[in-house]
Amino acid sequence: MNKRRIGSDKEELAAAYLIKNGYKILKRNFFSRAGEIDIIAKDDDVLCFIEVKYRKSVEEGLPEEAVDISKIRRISRTALVYMSMSGLPQETPCRFDVVAILENDIHLIKDAFDAIL
């Protein structure tokens, strides 16, 4: 199976997990010139920008460790583009979450990082 297909499958798994945990999915695979956000959802009244990371084994490191400074910066800028395009005020409560999938184990890290511009 190629990486794109695996990524798509894991994003589908993450979306189902989020829905099961009360999130309302607004958008998947939001692209802009600034970058991509895997999942945009609402958790109660909070707008969540969610990065999905998968690792086949711990030998490759933990999935969440792949969310580095440059990835955070790209996600942060893309979140601003989404908010602007959607007409959302900057005061909209939002956070950045990570869904980490290691082998068959999935867990959610709420408020995983702060925006960096």
Side-chain angles (χ1 to χ4, degrees), residues 100-117:
I101 304 170
L102 179 60
E103 298 176 42
N104 294 318
D105 180 51
I106 182 169
H107 68 278
L108 171 65
I109 305 166
K110 289 186 176 187
D111 207 12
F113 57 86
D114 293 323
I116 299 175
L117 301 175

Side-chain angles (χ1 to χ4, degrees), residues 2-115:
N2 68 36
K3 283 188 175 193
R4 186 175 301 259
R5 179 72 183 156
I6 292 170
S8 179
D9 288 349
K10 298 308 176 185
E11 286 177 15
E12 190 67 38
L13 180 67
Y17 179 85
L18 291 166
I19 291 166
K20 183 179 159 192
N21 283 280
Y23 283 67
K24 180 180 181 219
I25 306 296
L26 302 176
K27 182 83 176 151
R28 294 187 49 191
N29 299 312
F30 174 77
F31 287 95
S32 77
R33 294 181 86 172
E36 181 211 1
I37 296 176
D38 295 328
I39 300 172
I40 301 171
K42 290 279 279 206
D43 181 24
D44 294 324
D45 292 332
V46 179
L47 181 64
C48 301
F49 300 98
I50 303 159
E51 178 69 7
V52 178
K53 285 296 177 191
Y54 165 73
R55 291 294 177 260
K56 170 171 42 173
S57 72
V58 76
E59 291 173 7
E60 302 172 30
L62 295 174
E64 56 269 30
E65 293 173 345
V67 184
D68 61 13
I69 294 296
S70 77
K71 185 72 159 168
I72 291 169
R73 188 172 282 120
R74 240 183 341 273
I75 293 169
S76 301
R77 290 180 181 151
T78 306
L80 284 176
V81 170
Y82 174 83
M83 291 177 71
S84 176
M85 289 176 65
S86 300
L88 297 170
Q90 287 185 339
E91 300 80 30
T92 301
C94 63
R95 71 171 188 252
F96 298 92
D97 296 349
V98 172
V99 173
I101 304 170
L102 179 60
E103 298 176 42
N104 294 318
D105 180 51
I106 182 169
H107 68 278
L108 171 65
I109 305 166
K110 289 186 176 187
D111 207 12
F113 57 86
D114 293 323

